[in-house]
Structures are given as C-alpha cells and as structure tokens.
Amino acid sequence: MQKLKCTVSYDGTHFSGSQIQPNKRTVQAEMEKAMTKMHKGKQVQIYFSGRTDAGVHAKAQVFHFETEMNIPPESWKKALNAVLPKDIHVKGIEPAPANFHAQFDAIEKEYRYFVFNCKERNVFKRNYAYYYPFDVDIKKIQVACSLFEGTHDFTSFCSARTAVKGGKVRTLYEVSCKKHEDEIVFILRGNGFLYNMVRIIVGVLLDVGSGKIDLPEIEEMFRKKDRTFAGKTLPPEGLFLWKVKYENEAGKQRGNA
Amino acid sequence: MQKLKCTVSYDGTHFSGSQIQPNKRTVQAEMEKAMTKMHKGKQVQIYFSGRTDAGVHAKAQVFHFETEMNIPPESWKKALNAVLPKDIHVKGIEPAPANFHAQFDAIEKEYRYFVFNCKERNVFKRNYAYYYPFDVDIKKIQVACSLFEGTHDFTSFCSARTAVKGGKVRTLYEVSCKKHEDEIVFILRGNGFLYNMVRIIVGVLLDVGSGKIDLPEIEEMFRKKDRTFAGKTLPPEGLFLWKVKYENEAGKQRGNA
C-alpha cells in the first residue's frame, strides 16, 4: 500500500462543492470516479485538506489517497487528467509518508477573494469574481485588514452553523487587499479557517470600504462573539482556495527528485 | 416606430451560437425572449452585425431592432438586463436612424483570438482561450501576420462551406500578435470576415510559430484558393468578437448626449 499526495485545481462553478453528496455533482465524486476507473472498478477514497462550498474554486487543493498500484507520479497525473472532466485538473502527484493526512497535517491555508469593482457588469467574470459596483476606499480597507491579522476568536466571523471541536480561535498570518484596475483581491493566510469565514470577513471589509461601517465596529464584532453582528456572507464565486501548506514542504522537492 | 442600436457582450460557452435555431439555446433566442417580455408578448426580431458560432464569445456584438415603445435608452438597458440570463449583458442602447442596419452598415470588425500557451492546463481558462502547450516563435508569427494584412482573396482561409455573394476578397487592416506571460493574443481587424476565417488564419499563424510551416507556404496557400491547404480550424473558445464599427460612430456620442 502506498500513500500519495495530490494537488488539484478546479473550477467550482458547476460543482455542489468538494464534499461527496448523494445525487449531486461534487469534486470528490468526480475524483473518486476517476480513481475507480484507474483501479479497475475498485473504490478508492480520497481525503481533502478541507471542504470547499458550491461555486468556490480551487487553484491548488490537496488530497491524499492510498493505492496498491505501482505507477510513477508523472504517469498518475497523465492517467487521471485523461479521465477527469475538464473543470478538474491534477497539477501534481507525489509519494507521501504512510502517516500523512491532507487535512490534519496542513499547517497553513491561503484563500483569495476576487471582487470585480466596476459599474458595468462583465459576463466573463460572473463566475470568478463578486460583482460589487460601489466606490470603495482601499486604504481604509487595508487598515481594517490589519485588525483581522493575528490570533483571535472568530465566532462572529463564521457561520452560526459551524460545528467545530476545540473552539473558534484561529491565527491569520496575512489579511491584505490590493486593487488593480477593476479587480480587488483579498489575500487571507492562516493556520485554519472556520465555515464561511473568508466570505464573512471580506464582506465586513467591503462594508468598511463603502463607508457602511467604521473601524471600531470591527472590534465590537470581535467582542460580541455573535455571527449576527458581522453582515452578510459574500457569494461563493469570488472565493479561491489558493494554497495549502504542509510542514514537510521543503522535503517536497526531495520527494519528487 | 423607432429603431434602436444595441451593444451586447456574451459568454458563448453555453450557447449554440448567436443565430436562432430550433431547440437550441442561442443568443438571438434569449435576446428575443427578453424583447417579447418587454413588449408584453409581442414578438420583436433583432438583427445582428453577423453570426458567431457555438462557443464563440462577444465583448461587443451589435444588433438593431424596431419598437413602438417609447422608453429612454438607459431604461431599455436596465429593463433588458433585468430579464436576460447572466451570460448576456446589454452594454449600451441608443437611437439609430430609420435606415440603420447592424449588418449592412458595419464598416469594420475586430476579432481577438486568445491562446493559453503553457505546459500546464488551467481550468479557469478552458472556455476562454485555446490551450496550446507548444513552444512558439512570436517574432516569426509577427512576420507571418503581415502577410495577411491588406486586400486578398481569402478562399483558402475560410470554410469550404462558405456561401457568400460577391466573392471572397476582403481587406484586413490589422493582423497582429502579442505575448504576455502565458497568453498570446491575436488581433484581426478588417472590413469583413468569411466563415471560420479568424480561426483558420490563427491556426496557420500558430503552425508558423511552432515551425510546422514556413512563410513561403502562406503565399502558396493564398495562390491555391483551396481550403484544404490551410491546416485545421482552431476551436471556438479562444475567439471573441471584440468590436463592430459603423460609419456614424463619431455621431454616436451626439446621439447619446
């Protein structure tokens, strides 16, 4: 039995999220279907670094699986891409230690949220950015970003339905915002993210940028520990799981060589 | 009766082309459905500047129609966008002279063809660029581009099924090629384009760039006046109708003011 770590990108538009669900098109179902084909009908389960919701994209999602097949990594990649639908693409596959777990061993995740900030709609961006036609003060947003960095209890900034063991304290290493032409991009890096956390935080940041709320209100939101104080959850189309980092990342190149 | 000129963009991915066809989802059918809604059930026909094929996009396609409704242009735009599906967007609408015709009055069209030139596939580009992972010599392509500029008989560079009155001589004002990071963009501007013409010309240009054919062979293709000598037709996803120009364009601003 060999364990493999696989990096995939997917366009979330036509998926009901990553996680398998009965009668829905999901990334996991498509991926396991491809695996089953390669294993001549034998079912193979995959384990993602974490879930992504319906409509959410992944530039580099990671999963692991176990196999008895002895195929070089480059051939795995080719074979899987040949049977996968066009909205999923295997970027890389490599051997992993027997005790590797894509979810539990992840030490950092990066999400990016894209906002299309233009009066006129753009049909080509509709599935890949949140359309937000209002004027925003980027400098003010950047100041607000810094309030989210560091270690905080994010109870107010995750779905009230979040079921999580061990509390809602997380550490964000980076919360930043840049605007280039019509596009605003938010970058969030942290040791873990709660359900809907990025979409709620970016919603609050846009509320700051449009002048709807002011900086002291963010501190108040943190204090309240109540989801209802933090505005709406932004839609999924702007959200990308950008990168998942593991402790042995430096060893990755060695593993591949 | 009032004549209106309308500029729309559409994402061609989920359309069987612009032109109405029985039991197919087409841009014209969706557009006329929206028109019928606005005219309380009365059918209104629209006339495009020209057809686009299944999967081909439009950044700015133009059509005209006639109406008895007396609504300001800005309200037309809002009302149409409210009922149109999300992959069509009305960018502008303005009064046109009674004798205006979107097809026959067009004096210039611009098409752009996007190529994603990278070893690794990108799921987010799959519907908006042609995936071409091979090395290309851009300078050589640029020289080849100039051979297509000017007035030529384009018989070899259009579908053999092209049915057109008045011959296959067209004038191209610009045929250019630029590369930026992983993206190659071809710009073609001319007084008219034959069926599949852009997709065939760009195919030949990529054949030059990859070293498959050489410059004298392009001159030979022109001479042969035979479609079979000019390589394959590239897929539709890279093609965008970028702009349609009319003689009275300068008067456009006046008409809007």
Side-chain angles (χ1 to χ4, degrees):
Chain A
M1 218 52 171
Q2 194 195 7
K3 194 171 267 188
L4 291 165
K5 176 188 168 195
C6 181
T7 304
V8 284
S9 60
Y10 47 81
D11 177 338
T13 309
H14 301 295
F15 288 109
S16 302
S18 62
Q19 212 72 2
I20 219 156
Q21 292 173 65
N23 305 319
K24 299 262 177 143
R25 184 171 189 262
T26 65
V27 183
Q28 189 181 355
E30 291 295 333
M31 206 68 234
E32 290 185 357
K33 212 192 286 175
M35 287 287 179
T36 303
K37 265 186 202 162
M38 281 194 64
H39 290 81
K40 289 160 189 148
K42 203 192 144 204
Q43 287 212 326
V44 174
Q45 213 183 331
I46 67 165
Y47 299 87
F48 279 120
S49 75
R51 300 179 183 202
T52 58
D53 271 349
V56 173
H57 313 289
K59 184 170 171 276
Q61 165 73 289
V62 174
F63 67 83
H64 77 260
F65 66 100
E66 286 188 312
T67 181
E68 281 168 350
M69 290 180 79
N70 194 13
I71 305 176
E74 201 45 42
S75 308
W76 266 109
K77 180 178 163 176
K78 263 194 195 158
L80 282 170
N81 281 328
V83 291
L84 280 168
K86 287 200 167 170
D87 45 1
I88 309 181
H89 177 72
V90 170
K91 297 174 96 165
I93 195 158
E94 58 185 296
N99 62 352
F100 174 77
H101 195 291
Q103 184 184 350
F104 305 130
D105 291 354
I107 54 166
E108 184 183 310
K109 274 188 189 174
E110 177 175 335
Y111 282 94
R112 297 197 177 186
Y113 195 94
F114 290 85
V115 174
F116 180 61
N117 187 33
C118 183
K119 298 278 171 254
E120 194 78 47
R121 275 186 189 275
N122 182 327
V123 293
F124 305 108
K125 306 244 178 185
R126 73 192 190 286
N127 297 323
Y128 309 106
Y130 170 47
Y131 169 63
Y132 189 78
F134 312 107
D135 288 335
V136 291
D137 180 338
I138 294 291
K139 288 210 175 122
K140 218 170 148 192
I141 292 180
Q142 286 165 340
V143 175
C145 281
S146 65
L147 299 180
F148 288 94
E149 290 183 342
T151 304
H152 302 277
D153 184 319
F154 285 96
T155 304
S156 297
F157 304 98
C158 66
S159 166
R161 291 176 294 137
T162 307
V164 68
K165 289 174 205 154
K168 294 175 179 176
V169 173
R170 295 291 180 279
T171 301
L172 296 187
Y173 308 122
E174 175 182 356
V175 180
S176 66
C177 170
K178 264 179 284 188
K179 184 169 175 169
H180 178 68
E181 291 174 1
D182 291 335
E183 184 180 275
I184 305 174
V185 56
F186 292 88
I187 301 179
L188 290 92
R189 284 190 302 112
N191 67 351
F193 289 85
L194 301 160
Y195 189 47
N196 282 350
M197 186 166 143
V198 178
R199 290 159 62 181
I200 294 167
I201 291 177
V202 175
V204 169
L205 290 170
L206 284 178
D207 283 347
V208 169
S210 67
K212 204 173 148 192
I213 64 168
D214 223 329
L215 297 179
E217 289 173 73
I218 294 178
E219 283 159 20
E220 188 61 20
M221 287 174 191
F222 271 115
R223 265 195 300 275
K224 294 271 190 189
K225 294 191 179 127
D226 183 337
R227 167 70 189 94
T228 57
F229 288 88
K232 64 172 185 177
T233 303
L234 295 189
E237 64 266 22
L239 186 58
F240 289 69
L241 172 55
W242 204 258
K243 198 178 159 60
V244 188
K245 218 168 144 180
Y246 295 90
E247 199 131 85
N248 59 340
E249 214 76 73
K252 197 171 122 176
Q253 277 74 29
R254 286 203 301 278
N256 261 340
Chain B
M1 219 51 171
Q2 196 194 7
K3 194 169 267 186
L4 291 164
K5 176 188 168 194
C6 182
T7 305
V8 285
S9 60
Y10 47 80
D11 177 338
T13 308
H14 301 295
F15 288 109
S16 301
S18 61
Q19 211 74 3
I20 219 155
Q21 291 173 65
N23 305 319
K24 299 262 178 143
R25 185 172 188 262
T26 66
V27 183
Q28 189 181 354
E30 292 296 333
M31 207 66 234
E32 290 185 354
K33 213 191 285 173
M35 287 286 177
T36 303
K37 266 185 203 162
M38 281 194 62
H39 289 80
K40 290 161 186 148
K42 203 191 144 203
Q43 288 211 325
V44 174
Q45 213 182 333
I46 67 165
Y47 299 87
F48 280 120
S49 75
R51 302 180 183 200
T52 58
D53 271 349
V56 174
H57 313 289
K59 184 170 173 276
Q61 164 74 287
V62 174
F63 66 83
H64 76 260
F65 65 102
E66 285 186 313
T67 181
E68 282 166 352
M69 291 182 80
N70 194 12
I71 305 176
E74 201 46 42
S75 308
W76 266 109
K77 181 178 162 176
K78 264 194 194 159
L80 282 170
N81 281 328
V83 290
L84 281 168
K86 288 201 167 168
D87 46 1
I88 308 182
H89 177 72
V90 170
K91 298 174 96 165
I93 194 157
E94 60 185 295
N99 62 352
F100 174 77
H101 195 291
Q103 184 184 350
F104 305 130
D105 291 354
I107 54 167
E108 185 184 309
K109 275 189 187 170
E110 178 176 333
Y111 283 94
R112 296 197 178 185
Y113 196 95
F114 290 85
V115 174
F116 181 62
N117 187 32
C118 182
K119 299 278 171 256
E120 193 77 46
R121 274 185 192 275
N122 182 327
V123 291
F124 304 107
K125 306 243 180 189
R126 73 191 191 288
N127 296 325
Y128 309 106
Y130 170 48
Y131 169 64
Y132 189 78
F134 312 107
D135 288 333
V136 290
D137 181 336
I138 295 291
K139 289 214 173 116
K140 216 169 148 191
I141 291 180
Q142 285 164 339
V143 175
C145 281
S146 66
L147 299 181
F148 288 94
E149 289 182 342
T151 303
H152 302 277
D153 184 318
F154 285 96
T155 304
S156 297
F157 304 98
C158 66
S159 164
R161 291 175 295 135
T162 306
V164 68
K165 289 173 205 155
K168 294 177 179 174
V169 173
R170 294 292 181 277
T171 301
L172 297 187
Y173 308 122
E174 176 182 354
V175 180
S176 66
C177 169
K178 265 179 282 188
K179 185 170 175 169
H180 178 68
E181 291 176 1
D182 290 336
E183 185 180 273
I184 305 173
V185 55
F186 292 88
I187 301 180
L188 290 91
R189 283 190 304 111
N191 67 351
F193 289 86
L194 301 160
Y195 189 48
N196 281 351
M197 186 165 142
V198 178
R199 290 157 63 180
I200 295 167
I201 291 177
V202 175
V204 169
L205 290 170
L206 284 178
D207 283 347
V208 170
S210 67
K212 203 172 149 193
I213 62 168
D214 224 327
L215 298 179
E217 288 172 72
I218 294 179
E219 283 159 20
E220 187 63 19
M221 286 173 192
F222 271 114
R223 265 196 299 277
K224 295 270 192 190
K225 295 193 176 119
D226 183 337
R227 166 70 189 96
T228 56
F229 288 88
K232 66 172 180 176
T233 303
L234 296 189
E237 63 265 23
L239 185 59
F240 289 69
L241 172 54
W242 204 258
K243 197 179 161 59
V244 188
K245 218 169 146 180
Y246 295 90
E247 200 132 83
N248 59 341
E249 214 76 72
K252 197 173 121 176
Q253 277 74 29
R254 284 202 301 279
N256 261 340

